[in-house]
Amino acid sequence: MALETQNQSAGSKFGLLNILGRERCESYLLFHGETALDNGFRTFLYFLALAYCFFGLSAITARFFRSMENVVKHSRKIVEVDPDTNTEVIRYEKVWNYAIADISLLAFGTSFPQISLATIDAIRNIGNLYAGGLGPGTLVGSAAFDLFPIHAVCVVAPKAGELKKIADLGVWIVELFWSFWAYIWLYIILEVWTPNVITLWEALVTVLQYGLLLIHAYAQDKRWSYLSLPLGRTERPKEWVPEEITSSKHQPIDYEEYSEILQVDKDESRNVVDIFSIHSNVETDQVYHKVPETDDAVEFSDKNFHSEQDFNVAALWKRQFLDAITLESLESRNMFSIHIRLARTFWEILLAPWRLLFAFVPPYHIAHGWVAFICSLIFISGIAYIVTKITDLISCVTGINAYVIAFTALASGSSWPDLVASKIAAERQTTADSAIANITCSNSVNIYVGIGVPWLIDTTYNFFVYRQPLRIENAEGLSFSLLVFFATSVGCIGVLVYRRLTLGAELGGPRIWAWVTCVYFMLLWLIFVVLSSLRVSGFI
């Protein structure tokens, strides 16, 4: 009887919100005439707009991932003296540490949609005593999406029968610990120390823990005494991506292919020496030679390539715009092929505005990919801002709690770059390290940066202006979602451990068992979404 009364109360509450939405929701997305449309039709249009923004996130992810690969592959010149021949030796060493690249570039970049969304939500609410629930809701929901659906996709991503395991268990355990601790820490500051409020020092400590994660992961990777686990490392690849797709920026380019795919000519690149080049897949041994006493030779070599590089970049950039406005030919004698091509053409037309917009992102060859990397993040921030506006409209028109929209639709859509990056890593890398590290590290980044930075902005303002802490909207619902996440995540990690003990790998394996694991992970995600939604809606 009590449950029935509670359900009726919840139904009455949302009915009232819908009435208020019909009467007072005068906001619009594009034109004033939207407010005259039926609320149901407006909701349909806004969800279409939200889905289209997520298509844009998917499109920009491809460029972001390419630029990130180029950043990670950057090497620096190391000059040493060979004790046997007494000659100077040139070797190239990776600038980025393997584990740090996963935690910072990969995890931070793929989590940037959620981080941008939460930061924008915090800035919009600055000056209010209550923090908005859109950012935290999205980030907690994103954690569940990362852990369950993305693991589900990665398990079936390798080829049938192919096994891919984590090569460096020590680093993964460290990352997993900080991932779980992030959500334990969030629950402590929400429910134990200062219930329903966040103080300035709590927000500051939250952000600083991201630095501790980086230090601990680096210490484990380097096997520092007293700070690392005594676990070995096996089969870790030397390159972030497999050798067969590694390319050098001075190798010949086929401009008839996609603008950012390099065609490798091994014979011509074998003798190229450039201090900015990556380790080529044809460089199997160190190159020993006497280094000139000045940098004249290096400068001369760099000048020789300078005009060619400028031409290549200009041609690639031009090709990006041509690709954006070029549609695939429909010439075919097979009717089935024609239907497939028609579907692909429709898809290309649908994405054409995004492709044309993202063609302004410079080719990833400039500055080792940093320019394209930063530009991609800027575009992601712009899309995140539009997403926040659309979410406000959906909540306003329908009366649905914004927190429910956040940890379902927004979390799933904004986590699409995480899914794409992990899937690509699971397919292309020889181990499961980056695919799974992206999941665990993204969850850590979601809390330490995605929630920590917005709360730090608001708590700092409230501390100096109002001398009051930041109150958290719907803190009980957020805490309940954390508890559900803990319970379901144990089931997820337990299955990964069981697969390692029985199959010898976390990803891949016999097709039937891979799909069984995939379905199991998706069920865990549905449990999280349903229980959290019911709690926020007042039904439990």
Side-chain angles (χ1 to χ4, degrees):
M1 186 66 180
L3 179 61
E4 182 180 354
T5 303
Q6 188 178 13
N7 290 348
Q8 290 176 354
S9 175
S12 301
K13 178 178 66 175
F14 283 99
L16 178 61
L17 287 173
N18 275 308
I19 294 174
L20 293 175
R22 292 176 187 274
E23 292 179 352
R24 300 179 182 178
C25 190
E26 299 298 326
S27 301
Y28 59 90
L29 182 62
L30 296 176
F31 54 91
H32 288 279
E34 290 178 22
T35 57
L37 298 174
D38 179 75
N39 275 14
F41 186 61
R42 288 181 68 184
T43 302
F44 173 73
L45 291 180
Y46 294 149
F47 270 111
L48 280 183
L50 196 63
Y52 194 65
C53 287
F54 293 151
F55 290 156
L57 285 176
S58 178
I60 192 62
T61 297
R63 292 192 180 276
F64 156 76
F65 197 82
R66 281 289 186 180
S67 64
M68 187 268 298
E69 282 184 349
N70 225 42
V71 171
V72 174
K73 291 188 293 186
H74 178 211
S75 299
R76 61 187 172 190
K77 183 177 70 172
I78 304 295
V79 180
E80 298 176 341
V81 177
D82 182 22
D84 297 329
T85 61
N86 201 30
T87 58
E88 293 183 339
V89 181
I90 292 181
R91 64 181 179 86
Y92 291 92
E93 183 181 83
K94 292 292 183 184
V95 172
W96 281 90
N97 175 267
Y98 195 91
I100 297 300
D102 282 339
I103 299 173
S104 55
L105 295 179
L106 181 60
F108 181 81
T110 54
S111 296
F112 201 72
Q114 302 94 294
I115 296 172
S116 299
L117 193 149
T119 305
I120 292 170
D121 186 49
I123 294 174
R124 292 191 310 166
N125 286 282
I126 197 168
N128 296 332
L129 294 180
Y130 280 88
L134 195 64
T138 302
L139 289 160
V140 173
S142 174
F145 188 89
D146 287 351
L147 193 63
F148 306 128
I150 297 183
H151 265 127
V153 171
C154 289
V155 166
V156 297
K159 299 176 182 178
E162 185 180 12
L163 291 170
K164 293 190 177 182
K165 66 179 181 179
I166 299 174
D168 197 335
L169 279 175
V171 171
W172 179 68
I173 291 174
V174 168
E175 294 167 347
L176 187 64
F177 165 78
W178 283 99
S179 173
F180 273 92
W181 168 249
Y183 292 90
I184 295 173
W185 166 256
L186 186 59
Y187 185 85
I188 290 173
I189 62 178
L190 281 174
E191 294 292 333
V192 180
W193 284 345
T194 54
N196 301 330
V197 299
I198 298 297
T199 62
L200 176 60
W201 77 267
E202 287 174 336
L204 182 60
V205 170
T206 301
V207 175
L208 292 178
Q209 288 183 81
Y210 180 63
L212 295 179
L213 163 62
L214 292 174
I215 295 172
H216 194 181
Y218 185 79
Q220 179 64 42
D221 185 76
K222 295 299 184 181
R223 299 301 190 268
W224 288 358
S225 301
Y226 307 109
L227 293 178
S228 61
L229 299 173
L231 295 174
R233 174 191 300 136
T234 60
E235 303 177 6
R236 192 177 72 172
K238 295 180 179 179
E239 299 290 345
W240 200 91
V241 291
E243 291 185 353
E244 57 266 20
I245 61 172
T246 305
S247 56
S248 176
K249 73 176 183 177
H250 292 315
Q251 292 164 350
I253 300 175
D254 182 0
Y255 297 106
E256 297 303 318
E257 296 294 332
Y258 180 67
S259 59
E260 292 188 357
I261 296 180
L262 297 180
Q263 304 300 317
V264 179
D265 186 336
K266 297 182 180 179
D267 293 333
E268 293 186 12
S269 64
R270 183 180 300 272
N271 297 320
V272 173
V273 177
D274 173 24
I275 62 173
F276 298 109
S277 67
I278 62 171
H279 284 300
S280 172
N281 54 339
V282 297
E283 294 174 327
T284 57
D285 300 315
Q286 292 181 336
V287 179
Y288 291 81
H289 62 88
K290 186 73 171 65
V291 179
E293 302 205 0
T294 66
D295 291 335
D296 294 341
V298 175
E299 291 176 1
F300 178 76
S301 174
D302 191 49
K303 290 177 181 178
N304 284 342
F305 287 119
H306 188 69
S307 60
E308 178 186 348
Q309 180 183 357
D310 289 343
F311 170 75
N312 290 347
V313 170
L316 289 173
W317 209 337
K318 177 182 177 181
R319 188 68 189 182
Q320 289 181 181
F321 285 95
L322 292 177
D323 290 343
I325 60 177
T326 301
L327 299 179
E328 186 177 351
S329 174
L330 294 178
E331 295 181 4
S332 177
R333 296 181 180 180
N334 188 312
M335 289 301 297
F336 179 76
S337 298
I338 292 177
H339 291 157
I340 296 296
R341 290 178 180 272
L342 281 172
R344 292 180 61 182
T345 301
F346 173 77
W347 180 251
E348 289 180 2
I349 294 174
L350 189 65
L351 293 182
W354 290 122
R355 295 175 61 186
L356 184 60
L357 178 64
F358 298 150
F360 286 95
V361 176
Y364 66 86
H365 307 84
I366 302 175
H368 308 295
W370 277 110
V371 177
F373 184 87
I374 295 172
C375 288
S376 297
L377 296 185
I378 292 173
F379 275 106
I380 289 173
S381 298
I383 297 175
Y385 175 76
I386 298 173
V387 166
T388 59
K389 304 297 290 185
I390 296 174
T391 304
D392 288 341
L393 288 171
I394 293 175
S395 180
C396 181
V397 172
T398 63
I400 299 176
N401 191 306
Y403 182 78
V404 175
I405 301 175
F407 71 74
T408 54
L410 290 190
S412 304
S414 60
S415 295
W416 195 256
D418 285 321
L419 188 149
V420 173
S422 288
K423 180 178 180 293
I424 292 174
E427 291 174 339
R428 294 170 59 178
Q429 285 202 336
T430 57
T431 70
D433 291 71
S434 290
I436 296 181
N438 179 47
I439 297 171
T440 53
C441 295
S442 292
N443 286 351
S444 299
V445 171
N446 284 344
I447 298 299
Y448 300 134
V449 180
I451 291 182
V453 170
W455 280 356
L456 185 60
I457 294 173
D458 285 342
T459 53
T460 302
Y461 184 89
N462 286 2
F463 178 80
F464 288 104
V465 176
Y466 301 119
R467 297 292 178 179
Q468 293 186 16
L470 181 68
R471 299 186 180 276
I472 304 301
E473 183 180 0
N474 195 27
E476 292 183 358
L478 187 60
S479 299
F480 180 82
S481 297
L482 289 172
L483 291 176
V484 176
F485 176 76
F486 290 149
T488 50
S489 61
V490 170
C492 175
I493 301 301
V495 167
L496 290 179
V497 173
Y498 180 76
R499 285 177 56 88
R500 178 64 177 250
L501 296 176
T502 55
L503 299 177
E506 291 78 13
L507 305 182
R511 213 58 180 167
I512 184 172
W513 291 115
W515 279 106
V516 167
T517 307
C518 174
V519 172
Y520 171 73
F521 287 160
M522 292 302 298
L523 286 176
L524 290 177
W525 181 64
L526 289 176
I527 291 172
F528 169 83
V529 169
V530 170
L531 292 180
S532 297
S533 299
L534 291 176
R535 172 61 176 174
V536 173
S537 301
F539 291 102
I540 58 175

